[in-house]
Each structure stands twice: as C-alpha cells, then as structure tokens.
Amino acid sequence: MLKVQIVLFDGFDLLDAIAPYEVFCAAAMNAEDTLNVELVTAEGPRSVPSGINGLKIEASGRLNPEQTGIILVPGASGDVEGDGPDSIPAILNRAKNTELTGMIEQALGQEDIVIATVCGGSLLLAMGGLLEGRPAVTHHMGMDVLGATGAIPVPARIVDDGNLVSGGGVTSGLDVALYLVERELGSRISHAVEQLFEFERRGTVWRESGMPPISRQALTGDEPSIALDTAVINCSTLDNSIAQISVFEGDWDATIVTPIGKLQVKLSISTSKHMIQGTATQGDETVEFLNPVFQDNRLIWSLRITKPMRLNLKFEVTANGDHMTGIAKAGILPASKLTGKRIN
C-alpha cells in the first residue's frame, strides 16, 4: 500500500494541503484501497491552525520520516508584503525551526520516499538548507528567494528531481498530486481522478533529462561576462577611489534586523593590491565576501549565510567615520537594515 503523509504546520495554506488530500483520497477509491493518506505534523496528533483566518484542521498522526511512500509539504498563507510576524517568510521560518526540518532531511536520505512540495513548501525546505543544488519551483513571487537559498529555480508548473517533486503556485497542488498518482499508480487511475474532478493537469513536467534547448546567449555571445565586468569594476574603481574605500577597512560589529529577529555579525574588511577582501563571522562560522565592489560610495558584496536559514544575501553599505549603515537583501524578501560600529 502506498502511504501518503501530508504535513501540516501552524499557518499552512489550506489549498496547498487539502487539494492534494482530496486527489489522493479519490485515487484510493479508484485503486481498491492501495493508497492511504493521512494528515500529520512534526509534533503528533493535534489541531493545526491554517493561515486562512486561523481555520483549524485536525492532524491524526506524527510524521514518520522512515515510512515508505510520499511526504507532501504545503506552503504558508500570510501577508505577502512587509516583514511582520504574519508574513509568509516569518511563518515558514517558524515551521523550519521545528522538528520538521530534521525529519524531512532524514526522509530525503531514505530509499523509496518521495518528498513533494506545493508552492512555498519548497521554500520551507530550502530555508533549512535541504534543496541546495537541486532544481525546484515555488510560487512565482518566491523564485528569487528560492535561488538565494542555493536551490536551482526552474520556472515550470511541476519539477521532478527524482525523490523531490515540487509544484509552483497554490493551485499546483492538484497538478502535483495527480502527477504523483500517475507516477506511482499509473495513468488510468490518474485519469479517473481527473474525470471525477473535471480538472486537467497543466504544463509539462520538467525533468533534467533529454536534449537541452539551444541557448540564444550561447549562439550570439551578446551577454557580457559577469566575471569580467566584476574584475573591471574592481580595478577601475579602486584605482580612482582608494581613499574612499579605506573608510571601510577594519573590523565592525554589525547588526542585521530581519523579519525573524536580529543577527549579530562581525565584519572584517581590508584591501590588498587594489582588491577588496572581507569576511563575515557569525558564531563559529566565518565566510568570505563574494564579488565585493566599490560603487557610488557604497561597498557591495554577496554572502552565503546558513543561520538562521540558508540564503545568499546581497549587501550594500556606506560608512561615515566609525559608523556603518546599509541593507541586506535576498530576492523579493523585504530588505533588512544593517548598522555597524568600527571596533578597531
């Protein structure tokens, strides 16, 4: 029997979870009970408030990361603008900080388990560092953030990466579940459910297989080299602005105010042979600046962080004496304010 576990967490999106639930239940009716579907949480049986007016749904069990079958993770429903506690990033981060992340990580390492995500469900996993280097899709508004976590965003309705199947926007839960029914039980069962629901799956399922499409960029070469551009900016601006850049040199105690709390980071910045160098230390982890450049009196660089979640952040800061101000931003997430004070 194929076991399907649909994971609920506080603030989950109703349609992300209930649409697949109905598809799998309908498949069970058409497949002589060869499929069983259950609503679960990382904590066990409980009443779970959704993000839609707090409507509560009863989960009957605890997620079993060793159970052969399918584990489906929905996204969240909340404010799409702002950085308050009811924003989607804040809801997803609270879910990430439960036992759920470790359970899904364990399940990804098991044979015969497929992890499926709907909409922001892939962001939840990606924020926990579980999708780094893997193709996936999420709601179109979150694709930049998905890429910032180290995942490979693919603009498709469904992305099939073996034991990871992800769907795009909210209604893609129907498509994901129908596709998984076809993949696991066959096309006749999936077709029967489509007829029952009077719904047809949308879009081509993307897989990393077959002949790759021809890239216009590869043919024309009309896209400039990012690495070359960065090098030119580094050399030319540093030659002309070495005095301005020197105001950033030294060690800084920096605070980044994010939607999920304040982060304390130590920044160490120096120049050597007309090149900017820098590191950021958070706790016992130190990472190097990526592509630091000086432009319009601002120091700009990228940084891969892992705490409190995995993200590629872009920093833009200015310095006035021993004080630093600026922002840190990942994709479409609201920019986080950065302030710093020189400590040497």
Side-chain angles (χ1 to χ4, degrees):
M1 176 176 286
L2 179 65
K3 299 279 189 177
V4 179
Q5 302 178 84
I6 298 179
V7 181
L8 305 184
F9 55 86
D10 292 355
F12 75 96
D13 186 278
L14 278 171
L15 191 58
D16 285 3
I18 300 305
Y21 179 83
E22 289 210 41
V23 169
F24 289 126
C25 287
M29 291 189 298
N30 282 278
E32 298 182 355
D33 295 324
T34 59
L35 183 151
N36 175 267
V37 57
E38 183 181 17
L39 299 177
V40 301
T41 75
E43 300 80 22
R46 67 181 179 95
S47 182
V48 188
S50 75
I52 309 295
N53 294 329
L55 182 65
K56 294 183 178 181
I57 300 293
E58 292 294 327
S60 59
R62 187 172 188 264
L63 173 61
N64 182 356
E66 298 181 349
Q67 173 66 62
T68 297
I70 297 169
I71 297 173
L72 186 140
V73 182
S77 178
D79 296 338
V80 295
E81 296 181 355
D83 56 1
D86 294 326
S87 68
I88 289 177
I91 295 171
L92 292 175
N93 185 66
R94 287 196 293 270
K96 175 192 75 74
N97 288 331
T98 67
E99 294 181 73
L100 179 58
T101 299
M103 288 177 161
I104 297 298
E105 183 176 21
Q106 181 181 352
L108 281 168
Q110 302 287 325
E111 293 184 3
D112 300 323
I113 295 182
V114 176
I115 304 298
T117 65
V118 178
C119 198
S122 55
L123 283 177
L124 196 165
L125 271 58
M127 289 163 66
L130 304 184
L131 301 190
E132 192 162 352
R134 302 198 64 170
V137 65
T138 188
H139 190 282
H140 69 272
M141 294 178 66
M143 291 290 276
D144 286 347
V145 181
L146 186 64
T149 67
I152 303 170
V154 179
R157 183 70 169 172
I158 299 174
V159 174
D160 182 342
D161 190 38
N163 69 338
L164 173 68
V165 176
S166 54
V170 183
T171 57
S172 70
L174 287 167
D175 302 273
V176 169
L178 282 165
Y179 171 68
L180 288 170
V181 168
E182 179 184 26
R183 200 177 94 161
E184 302 298 325
L185 300 179
S187 59
R188 289 196 291 179
I189 300 298
S190 180
H191 180 255
V193 177
E194 282 190 340
Q195 286 188 311
L196 177 64
F197 286 6
E198 295 190 0
F199 175 83
E200 295 180 356
R201 252 177 37 217
R202 288 170 47 193
T204 300
V205 176
W206 185 94
R207 303 180 189 86
E208 196 169 19
S209 61
M211 181 183 298
I214 296 174
S215 168
R216 180 177 177 273
Q217 178 180 333
L219 288 176
T220 64
D222 59 0
E223 199 67 30
S225 165
I226 295 175
L228 180 60
D229 286 357
T230 300
V232 170
I233 292 173
N234 276 335
C235 294
S236 62
T237 14
L238 279 172
D239 283 340
N240 297 328
S241 310
I242 205 72
Q244 292 102 314
I245 294 173
S246 65
V247 303
F248 293 98
E249 290 187 316
D251 294 332
W252 302 79
D253 272 338
T255 301
I256 307 171
V257 181
T258 77
I260 54 176
K262 294 182 179 181
L263 306 180
Q264 302 298 136
V265 182
K266 179 184 176 182
L267 304 176
S268 296
I269 303 170
S270 63
T271 58
S272 176
K273 298 181 179 178
H274 290 191
M275 297 295 291
I276 304 168
Q277 298 173 335
T279 61
T281 301
Q282 184 185 10
D284 57 357
E285 182 180 38
T286 299
V287 293
E288 294 184 357
F289 289 5
L290 299 176
N291 300 324
V293 296
F294 180 71
Q295 192 172 36
D296 298 329
N297 295 320
R298 296 173 299 157
L299 184 59
I300 303 171
W301 74 89
S302 295
L303 202 65
R304 293 192 181 98
I305 67 167
T306 59
K307 301 174 184 178
M309 66 184 75
R310 289 182 181 268
L311 280 178
N312 292 337
L313 292 176
K314 181 179 180 181
F315 289 78
E316 296 186 13
V317 302
T318 59
N320 183 7
D322 290 334
H323 296 277
M324 175 184 289
T325 58
I327 61 170
K329 187 168 175 59
I332 64 167
L333 287 176
S336 298
K337 182 180 179 181
L338 179 147
T339 58
K341 185 176 181 180
R342 197 191 309 268
I343 56 177
N344 67 329

